[in-house]
Amino acid sequence: MSETFQRLLLLSVAGLPLGVFALMGAFAWQGRRRVERAVSTAVALAFGLATAAALTLACVMVGEGRAAVTAPVGTWFGSGESEFHLLLVGDRLSLPFAVLAALLCCLIGVFSRRYLHKEPGYLRFYMLLALFGAGVELVTLAGALELTLVGWELAGLSSALLIAFFHERRRPVEHGLRAFLVYRACDVGLLVAVVWLHHTTGSSSVAGTDGSGWALFRVPATRGDALLIGLALLWAAMGKAAQVPLGGWLPRAMEGPTPSSAVFYGAISVSLGPYLLLHTESAWSGAPGVRTAIVVVGALTAVHATLVGRAQTDIKSTLAYASMTQIGVVLVEVGLGLRYLALAHLVAHAALRSAQILRSPSLIHDHHHLEQALGGPLPPTGRHLDRVVPRGARTWLYRYALERGYFDAWLRDHVVGGLTRLVRRAESLDERWARLLSTGSSTREGQKS
């Protein structure tokens, strides 16, 4: 198969969702009404074709023994030593995740056709789904970290807007804003990594592939540079992956429609954090401190989410903390260098969690049927921890779980509260300074008169 056709396949994986989003946006801008079936069919078809293109490209690469396929689209701008390359790369890491993301978005598009029937925001939902899918594919296939940053922001924006999908109610809007603020605070890490990688190596584009067929970025010259880049990338990943102490937005994200909860917060969106670390491993692998930090963050999150998830009273919050637990375990695998295990774990977890969240509205119905079949209440589960944890510690752990680790209260009182107090003090000083200046000006004018 010609190299031109392979590049065309690679471009279509990210281009099809972006194109259908632009098309629906143009119709919405002109005020044209579109029937529900046409909207859902267009989005599902775009993701279905993207899935087929990614699978075809993967099969061709395996058949020809190619490690990677690159599709340069050009240079957006260049200024001195800094250039913004539009480059897509399909390798043995990115293509499996690209297939997963496109396939799950296609299934969600088909599932939502009836789930959101007659919903006033039907078109808006599908537009945001297409935008999210395009952003994820850009993150997955980007051959330059600048392009990764573009897809990262598109995915974050669409996620926050879908949390606040039911904007006629106050709580979804508050939770969407909370998620957006966490994203914005952590996205600074990705921006710092891009700038510093440019500063130390002169480029943030893929420089080649290793023996396993994974894309490689240029390695920073010193261990200190690698440490800074790795910690900045970890900070960016913690926001998307809902790691401690920033994971409080994840259970609140379930305020959005169930289909978006399944594909975003149970599967794909939370997986972007570990994927970013896998994708950029060559840039920070020279700093052992980064690996240690990744393992510590992942392990703390896994333990925290396991405890808190056991005290939740609704199924979607329970599944949110289950996702947080598994992503924490994946981060531990990434930190230990178990790359293939981490990739397989991400794919398997995304598929399973999406199915569980899609089935969550029917869980009580299934539970009642099971009790009727057994002729009585179901036996309690999860009692194995009772045999391990001392009786005196159970009360404290239960309180810890009910308060969700006290992280939300700590962030509210010390971080957000501290910033609020700082802003108020600055405002008070500004008012005093303005009054002082106005008083001095009035005095001088009185003396002249």
Side-chain angles (χ1 to χ4, degrees):
M1 185 177 291
S2 66
E3 186 173 350
T4 302
F5 185 70
Q6 294 179 23
R7 290 180 176 177
L8 182 61
L9 288 175
L10 186 60
L11 290 171
S12 64
V13 176
L16 285 170
L18 194 59
V20 75
F21 168 77
L23 182 63
M24 290 191 298
F27 279 114
W29 183 267
Q30 295 174 4
R32 299 184 182 180
R33 296 180 59 85
R34 309 301 299 175
V35 297
E36 290 185 355
R37 182 169 294 274
V39 171
S40 60
T41 300
V43 174
L45 182 61
F47 282 115
L49 292 175
T51 304
L55 281 173
T56 302
L57 182 58
C59 293
V60 170
M61 288 175 58
V62 172
E64 297 182 356
R66 298 192 61 175
V69 174
T70 60
V73 188
T75 301
W76 189 355
F77 68 85
S79 176
E81 298 180 355
S82 299
E83 292 183 341
F84 191 145
H85 296 288
L86 300 176
L87 176 67
L88 298 181
V89 176
D91 57 12
R92 295 177 184 176
L93 168 65
S94 61
L95 283 179
F97 200 83
V99 171
L100 171 73
L103 179 60
L104 287 181
C105 287
C106 178
L107 294 176
I108 293 301
V110 175
F111 177 87
S112 303
R113 178 180 298 173
R114 292 187 177 181
Y115 190 91
L116 294 173
H117 179 55
K118 298 296 183 181
E119 177 66 40
Y122 193 91
L123 174 62
R124 176 161 48 94
F125 174 86
Y126 275 95
M127 286 183 62
L128 291 175
L129 178 62
L131 182 63
F132 172 79
V136 170
E137 296 297 356
L138 283 178
V139 172
T140 304
L141 301 173
L145 282 185
E146 297 95 341
L147 196 56
T148 300
L149 181 60
V150 174
W152 193 265
E153 295 300 327
L154 291 178
L157 176 62
S158 55
S159 297
L161 290 176
L162 273 170
I163 295 173
F165 182 78
F166 300 110
H167 54 79
E168 64 276 4
R169 292 187 281 119
R170 180 183 178 87
R171 302 297 288 179
V173 176
E174 290 179 349
H175 296 165
L177 181 60
R178 182 190 183 100
F180 183 72
L181 291 176
V182 172
Y183 287 163
R184 299 303 295 162
C186 293
D187 291 352
V188 175
L190 182 54
L191 181 60
V192 169
V194 172
V195 172
W196 202 252
L197 192 61
H198 262 288
H199 175 70
T200 56
T201 66
S203 172
S204 67
S205 300
V206 171
T209 57
D210 60 8
S212 61
W214 289 33
L216 295 175
F217 291 89
R218 288 183 173 86
V219 181
T222 65
R223 181 173 295 182
D225 292 331
L227 178 64
L228 175 61
I229 292 171
L231 292 179
L233 291 171
L234 175 59
W235 176 251
M238 287 171 62
K240 279 287 194 295
Q243 301 297 285
V244 294
L246 306 171
W249 65 266
L250 184 58
R252 294 175 172 86
M254 298 300 170
E255 286 281 359
T258 295
S260 65
S261 299
V263 73
F264 289 6
Y265 320 112
I268 300 175
S269 185
V270 293
S271 299
L272 289 180
Y275 179 84
L276 177 67
L277 295 175
L278 284 172
H279 187 52
T280 59
E281 184 179 13
S282 58
W284 52 262
S285 58
V290 178
R291 292 194 178 275
T292 302
I294 293 174
V295 171
V296 169
V297 169
L300 288 177
T301 302
V303 174
H304 163 77
T306 299
L307 293 174
V308 177
R310 292 177 176 275
Q312 301 306 301
T313 56
D314 63 284
I315 182 59
K316 294 181 77 172
S317 294
T318 302
L319 291 176
Y321 279 103
S323 294
M324 197 185 301
T325 301
Q326 294 302 315
I327 296 300
V329 175
V330 172
L331 281 183
V332 173
E333 296 165 356
V334 173
L336 294 177
L338 305 174
R339 300 193 298 173
Y340 286 102
L341 178 61
L343 178 59
H345 194 167
L346 274 181
V347 174
H349 169 259
L352 174 63
R353 198 68 69 204
S354 292
Q356 287 180 329
I357 295 180
L358 288 177
R359 286 284 300 159
S360 61
S362 304
L363 182 67
I364 297 178
H365 182 72
D366 296 341
H367 191 85
H368 289 165
H369 273 286
L370 189 56
E371 286 184 335
Q372 291 175 0
L374 294 176
L378 297 178
T381 59
R383 293 296 181 88
H384 55 280
L385 286 179
D386 293 346
R387 297 189 294 269
V388 179
V389 179
R391 181 179 297 274
R394 294 176 193 171
T395 302
W396 184 87
L397 289 176
Y398 185 65
R399 182 181 300 172
Y400 175 91
L402 285 179
E403 294 292 337
R404 297 184 175 182
Y406 304 98
F407 288 122
D408 290 349
W410 182 80
L411 289 173
R412 182 184 64 249
D413 296 337
H414 298 282
V415 178
V416 179
L419 289 175
T420 302
R421 289 189 292 271
L422 180 62
V423 170
R424 289 176 177 173
R425 289 177 182 175
E427 182 182 8
S428 176
L429 289 175
D430 182 69
E431 291 177 353
R432 292 179 182 178
W433 180 251
R435 286 196 299 268
L436 180 62
L437 291 178
S438 61
T439 302
S441 177
S442 301
T443 303
R444 287 192 298 268
E445 290 178 358
Q447 291 175 350
K448 291 180 181 179
S449 60

